[in-house]
Amino acid sequence: PSHDTEGDWISAINQFAEFAKDKKDLEFISIGALPFFVENVIRGIMPIKKYGVMKIYDYFRLLREQIADVIFIPLENNLFNHVKSDIAAQEVLLTGATSVQPAFNSEYGFPYSNATDGLQMAYDAWQKGLKDKVAGDQKKMAESKEINKQKRIDFLQKFN
């Protein structure tokens, strides 16, 4: 979650709901805490599978074996989220899936400036198959670890 009182879903929930309302081939799966207001909106659109907090091994096994092709990572545009790592996008790639997240957080998957656009791009690609996209992003992740670290350091230095 974000480092503020509203959480990371606050600006993305309505965009997600609008995008997902007519798509009968989507599943909503939550791992860990899910804000109550998000759960209420999603339950009005589709069923939710909820998994609680778990050991890291079980988390990766669940992602790999049962979960998703595309994972939505809604992050608010704030200082905390700008400087934190893109570990969620990297975790998803390690399991052979891809993600939709704000462009400021990660270059992998389907980075967006508007959540609806990112979700639609990922959905269209998912319908065609994601194997080549995931493989390309996995390679990029392996090659650009230091570059991404430096981007976050440079961003933080703006505030000194």
Side-chain angles (χ1 to χ4, degrees):
S2 182
H3 200 66
D4 63 32
T5 58
E6 300 294 336
D8 284 322
W9 272 97
I10 196 69
S11 65
I13 186 59
N14 291 333
Q15 291 176 52
F16 180 86
E18 183 62 29
F19 164 79
K21 70 180 180 185
D22 298 323
K23 298 189 172 57
K24 303 299 180 204
D25 53 355
L26 297 181
E27 286 185 289
F28 190 92
I29 300 168
S30 173
I31 301 173
L34 181 65
F36 186 69
F37 76 93
V38 174
E39 186 171 345
N40 283 341
V41 171
I42 300 301
R43 284 205 190 281
I45 300 168
M46 64 183 68
I48 298 175
K49 288 183 186 175
K50 287 174 54 175
Y51 296 90
V53 177
M54 60 188 69
K55 294 178 182 174
I56 192 74
Y57 172 81
D58 294 329
Y59 168 71
F60 279 109
R61 185 178 49 78
L62 185 66
L63 285 177
R64 181 80 176 153
E65 294 175 1
Q66 300 179 30
I67 294 293
D69 298 310
V70 178
I71 295 178
F72 183 46
I73 306 168
L75 298 173
E76 287 298 303
N77 189 355
N78 59 38
L79 177 61
F80 179 79
N81 284 336
H82 269 269
V83 297
K84 74 182 202 180
S85 76
D86 60 349
I87 191 68
Q90 292 179 34
E91 290 170 354
V92 171
L93 278 173
L94 291 172
T95 66
T98 191
S99 59
V100 177
Q101 73 285 321
F104 68 76
N105 183 256
S106 183
E107 61 191 71
Y108 310 121
F110 297 91
Y112 66 79
S113 55
N114 174 292
T116 305
D117 294 342
L119 288 163
Q120 190 62 52
M121 285 187 300
Y123 183 77
D124 293 343
W126 172 70
Q127 290 185 315
K128 296 174 187 168
L130 291 168
K131 188 176 183 179
D132 291 340
K133 171 71 174 150
V134 170
D137 279 350
Q138 286 172 333
K139 182 178 180 192
K140 185 180 358 176
M141 179 176 65
E143 294 171 346
S144 64
K145 183 179 177 186
E146 285 302 312
I147 293 169
N148 290 332
K149 177 181 171 185
Q150 190 59 47
K151 283 182 189 176
R152 284 173 176 76
I153 290 170
D154 292 346
F155 183 84
L156 271 177
Q157 288 177 344
K158 291 178 186 178
F159 297 95
N160 283 337

